Amino acid sequence: MSKVIQHGVRSTEPMLLVVQVGNAARSAFGNYSHSRRCDVSGRRFFSVTCALFGRGPPSRIEKKTVDIPGLERVTYADRMHYVPGLAKPVFPDWRRDWHDPHHYRGPKNEEMKLHKANPCYVFNQRTKILEGVRQALWLTKSKLIQGLPEHILSLAEDPANQIEDQGKRVQQAIRHSCFWDTTAIRPKRDRFCPVLLRDLLHLCGTLQLKHTSLSKSILAENYRVAALWNQESDVFQVRGLIGMLLNIMTPLPEVIQSGEVLATENHTLETFCPISPTIDLQSTYVYDQKNDTGFRDGYPYPHAHTLFFIETEDSAAKFKPEQLRAKMIMFAFGNALARAKSLYGEHPQVLEQPVVVQSIATDGRLFQFIVLQLNTTDLGPDTGVKNLIWMDQDQLLYDYAKCRPLIKKKAVTMAKH
Amino acid sequence: MAAPSRLPLLQFCSTRVFLLRCTQGFHSEPAVQEPAYPPVIPSRTAKSKSAKKRREEDYYNQVRAASSVQDKLRLLTKLQREKYVVYPQTFTLNADRWYRHFTKTVFLPGLPEKCSVGRQVVDQENGKVPPAAGGVDPTVVDENTFSELRYLVGNGILQENFYLKKRRPFLQKEQEHFVAPFLSNLVSSVTNALAKYNPLLKMSSLDFNPEVSFYWMRGERTVPRGHRRGRADPIRFQINDQPHCQIRVPQQLEEFLPLQESVSAEVPVVQFEPNRLPMFQRQYDNNIFIGSKVTDPCSYGHTQFHLVHDRFKRDRLLKGNLADQIEVRLRANAIASLFAWTGAQAMYQGFWSHEDLTRPFVSQAVVTDGQYFSFFCYQLNTLALTVQTDHNNPRKNICWGTESMRLYEAVKDGEVVGLNDDVLKLLVHFLLNKPQKM
C-alpha cells in the first residue's frame, strides 16, 4: 500500500489515504505510479526556495539485504567509506528527538491505529463510478422512479407559490449570471454556475413573504458528512465535503406511506455482473467507523432539506451527468443515513418514520433533481424493504445563452444581448 | 493696338451695387449673410498648445456626443497609461486622509439623521450606543420580526463557530473559513425577512464576490522623464474592489443632504505625490464596473458588505502596536469602496467629470470582521475631480461612518453571549432604506 507523507495541517480526524493504484486516470504519471511517494494530489512545501506545490523527488528503489542467520556480514562500516566487495552496512533507524514537521515520515498503514483487517469502500466527493445510477441504486438498496413525486409538482404548478413576474425575473437571473457579471464578454463556468444558483435562491427567498415557514431554514457550506453501512459482508462509507446544504427545523414529510413502502419488498435490485458493485470506490484498510451528520448535537436545524451540487473550479471534479446523478444519490443517501442513525440508533431496522432528503445538481444549464426517501437502514441483505428515489434528469433551464453575434456568410444572424 | 476697351471695374461694380442698393428699400434689415469662410480655429495636428487644446476639446465633444453609455465609457477608458492602484484594504498608515484627498471626500462621524435610529452620538470608547428611548422603533419593524432576526443572527453565529464541525483552517484563511459563510447567511436571511417591509428588497439583486471597479483622474503632475518629459499629465487612479456581497436595486436611494448644501468640514490636502503613501503604479485595463454591466436593470447600489481580510484583522494590528489604525483602516476601506461604487453608478447614468452630476448618488456599506461591525453612508455629489473641472467646484463628496461596534461578546457552549441589539437595529435600518415614493 502506498504511503503518503503529510505536511502542514494537523487535524483531529485521521486523513484517509488517497492513492488508488491501477486507476487509469491516475497512472498518467507513468513511471512514478508504482513508486511509494506517488502523490497524485500534490503536497504542500513550506520552504520558500522551491515551488509551493508539486511532486516530491522520485524515491530510490533500495536493494533488500539478505540476512542469513549465523553468517556475519562484513561491511565497510569501520572503514567509514565505500569499499568495493564489502556489504553495505545497515544502521539502526535514527529518529529525531523532537518533532520536525518538514521531515516527518508518517507511520506505515499496518502500524496505524485505525488499521482494520477488512477493506472499506469509500465514496467521496470526487468518485465517478462506472455504472452510474445503477450502481448507486444497488449500493443504496433503492428503487428508482422516473419523475418527481406529485405533491412537489403540484407545489410548483400552483400559481400561489410562484414569484411575482417569475418568468421575467428568472430570465434576468440567467442574463446576470451568463452575461452581465463580469467586465469580460462572458464569465467562466465556475463563475456563472454558483452565481446562477445564488440568484435563483435569492428569488426563492423572496417567497418568504407568503410562506413564513421558509424562514426556518439556513444554508450550511463546506460541511463534512460521514455515513457507514454494511452490505453483503462489505463495509461501505460515504465521506465528503459538500458544497451547500439547506437545513430546516422540522423534518420533510414522507412522500409515500408505509403501505406502499412495504410493497417495495418485491422489487429486486439490479446487478451488473461481471462488474463488481464496488468498482471505482476508494478501497482502504485504515478507516474510522463513524456516522456523522457534520453538525453537533443541539443544532437548531437538525434535518436536511436539500443538497446543492455545482460545478466548481476543481478540474478533477468535472462530472458527466450520469456520474453527477450517482453522486447526488450517494450523498443524499449518506446524509439521510447519518441522520437516521443519530435519531433511531445504529441497529439496522426498518424506519417507522422515513427520512426524506432532496438534492439538486447543476452545471449552469442542465439541472438534475432527486428526492430520496430512506425507509430502512437494514442494508445487509438484498431482500427486504427498499429505499425510494424519484429522479428528474437533464432538465434544461434555457436552450442557449449567446451574446456574441453569429456571422454566417457575411450576415449577422443573432443580435447581441 | 486693338485692345478691348476696359471699363473701369469700380465704375462697373459701383453701378451694379448702386442699382442693387436702389432696388432694396432703405428701411429693410441687412440680410444675414452666411460666412463665406469657415471659422478661424487652431490647427488639429500642429505641435502647439492651441492645437493640443483643440484636440482635447474635440475629444470632450466626442464623449459628450456619444450615442450610448457603453460608448461613452469606452471612449473614457480606452487609453491605457500608468495609473495608481488604490486598494480599499491597505496596509499603509493613515490611508483614510490620503483617500479623502484623492476622492474629494469629507468624513463626518456618526450617521446622517435619516439613519440615526433616534440617537446622534456614538460612544467612542467601547462602541456601545446609548439605547434609544422605547427600544425598537415601532414604526419601522415590529417586535416579533426583530426577535426573529435576533434568533436568525444568533443561529448563524452559532452554526459557523460551534455547531458545524470544521477542521482547523489553513494559515490566514480563518475569515474565509468562519466568517464568510456567516456573513452570507446573515445578509440573505435578514434581507428575506425584511422584504415585507421594504419592497425595494424584493426587486433587488444580491451578488456574492462581485467586482467593483472605478477609474478617475485627480490632480496633475509634470512627467519627470521619458519621451513625454516636461508635459503636464493628470494623475490617474484605479480601484478594483471585491466586496463580500452587495445589494443592487433598480431605483435610486434618496439623498441624505441636498446637492448644493455646503458642509463645514474640509477636504484634506496632501502635498505629497501618491507614491509616497506608498501607492504603486501599473498599466492595465481601465474598468468602470458596478458589479454587473450597463444593461442590467438593477443599476443603482443599496448596501455593500465588506469582510476584513486576515492580514488586517484587529489582533494583528494590536500585536503590531497599531491600535489607532484600526478605525483608520475601516474608514479608508469604506471611503474607497463606496466612492468607487457610487462613481461607477453615476457613470452608468452618463455623468462624467465634464458633465457633472445633477443629482447625488447614495450608497451604504457595512465593514465587518465577524465580531465588530461598522456602518458607513456615502453621498457622491461631484465627479468633477480633474484639474480643469475642479477649478470652481464647491461641491464635496460626503462620507458618514460609525466606530466599530461589537455584535456579540463570545460564543460559549452553544450560546451567544452578549448579543448587541443596537448593531442589529442599525443593520435593520440600513436595509430598510428606500426611496420615499415607495
Side-chain angles (χ1 to χ4, degrees), chain B residues 359-380:
Chain B
R359 57 185 198 271
F361 281 75
V362 152
S363 285
Q364 301 166 139
V366 178
V367 184
T368 170
D369 68 352
Q371 211 183 9
Y372 287 85
F373 280 68
S374 355
F375 298 86
F376 296 91
C377 299
Y378 196 92
Q379 177 165 321
L380 186 82

Side-chain angles (χ1 to χ4, degrees), chain A residues 35 63 90 92 130 189 196 206 251 253 287 291 329 352 368 371 376 378:
Chain A
S35 74
K63 284 191 202 160
V90 174
L130 181 68
R189 193 182 284 270
L196 180 63
T206 56
Y287 57 94
N291 281 293
I329 295 175
E352 288 160 7
Q368 332 272 353
V371 179
T376 169
D378 184 16

Side-chain angles (χ1 to χ4, degrees), chain B residues 9-292:
Chain B
L9 191 64
L10 203 56
Q11 190 189 16
F12 183 79
C13 281
S14 58
T15 35
R16 269 289 165 95
V17 168
F18 188 65
L19 279 168
L20 272 172
R21 280 200 184 141
C22 285
T23 49
Q24 285 176 1
F26 283 105
H27 299 290
S28 65
E29 287 164 13
V32 171
Q33 285 175 331
E34 283 207 5
Y37 300 99
V40 177
I41 44 174
S43 153
R44 231 173 159 268
T45 50
K47 194 179 169 189
S48 65
K49 288 192 194 130
S50 44
K52 174 98 174 102
K53 256 200 222 164
R54 190 189 153 186
R55 282 196 295 271
E56 275 178 19
E57 275 303 318
D58 280 351
Y59 171 65
Y60 296 144
N61 290 335
Q62 204 186 4
V63 178
R64 279 191 195 108
S67 52
S68 66
V69 172
Q70 285 100 320
D71 248 353
K72 217 180 242 192
L73 290 177
R74 188 189 59 84
L75 283 169
L76 287 169
T77 54
K78 71 174 179 181
L79 182 63
Q80 277 190 21
R81 280 268 150 80
E82 293 256 304
K83 58 193 174 179
Y84 286 105
V85 182
V86 178
Y87 291 99
Q89 294 201 354
T90 168
F91 57 87
T92 54
L93 297 179
N94 295 324
D96 73 328
R97 209 172 141 258
W98 291 72
Y99 286 2
R100 274 184 280 150
H101 168 64
F102 297 144
T103 60
K104 204 179 176 192
T105 311
V106 144
F107 184 79
L108 302 177
L111 292 177
E113 289 91 30
K114 237 181 85 166
C115 283
S116 49
V117 198
R119 91 275 176 283
Q120 299 289 332
V121 168
V122 179
D123 187 17
Q124 281 188 3
E125 270 173 349
N126 40 12
K128 280 227 180 93
V129 165
V136 180
D137 196 351
T139 54
V140 177
V141 154
D142 63 352
E143 275 290 335
N144 284 338
T145 318
F146 192 74
S147 52
E148 203 187 295
L149 287 174
R150 284 196 78 205
Y151 184 62
L152 285 171
V153 170
N155 282 337
I157 300 169
L158 285 171
Q159 183 189 277
E160 294 311 319
N161 295 326
F162 184 73
Y163 285 120
L164 196 53
K165 291 186 193 168
K166 292 184 179 179
R167 294 191 180 177
R168 210 182 72 184
F170 189 58
L171 234 46
Q172 293 211 15
K173 295 252 186 215
E174 286 104 25
Q175 295 287 76
E176 202 184 292
H177 201 78
F178 293 115
V179 184
F182 158 58
L183 198 57
S184 316
N185 261 327
L186 176 78
V187 173
S188 40
S189 54
V190 175
T191 315
N192 288 332
L194 291 179
K196 66 178 180 228
Y197 295 102
N198 187 356
L200 200 61
L201 289 178
K202 260 198 306 185
M203 307 186 298
S204 66
S205 166
L206 182 57
D207 309 330
F208 288 90
N209 291 322
E211 297 165 12
V212 172
S213 21
F214 191 57
Y215 170 75
W216 79 103
M217 302 194 215
R218 173 121 167 107
E220 224 173 41
R221 63 159 199 160
T222 333
V223 182
R225 74 190 70 75
H227 67 280
R228 299 175 73 231
R229 189 186 128 130
R231 290 167 216 195
D233 198 34
I235 306 181
R236 288 163 284 266
F237 298 91
Q238 167 87 43
I239 294 184
N240 288 108
D241 187 22
Q242 241 189 352
H244 177 261
C245 55
Q246 69 183 18
I247 302 176
R248 276 178 303 113
V249 288
Q251 289 182 18
Q252 195 174 353
L253 289 176
E254 277 204 351
E255 58 197 28
F256 294 124
L257 283 183
L259 192 57
Q260 302 303 333
E261 186 164 319
S262 61
V263 183
S264 53
E266 286 297 320
V267 177
V269 175
V270 173
Q271 303 292 347
F272 299 108
E273 279 226 341
N275 63 5
R276 301 309 241 164
L277 176 58
M279 219 150 68
F280 303 98
Q281 283 187 316
R282 264 191 293 154
Q283 179 175 321
Y284 58 100
D285 253 350
N286 303 326
N287 286 325
I288 295 177
F289 198 60
I290 60 166
S292 75

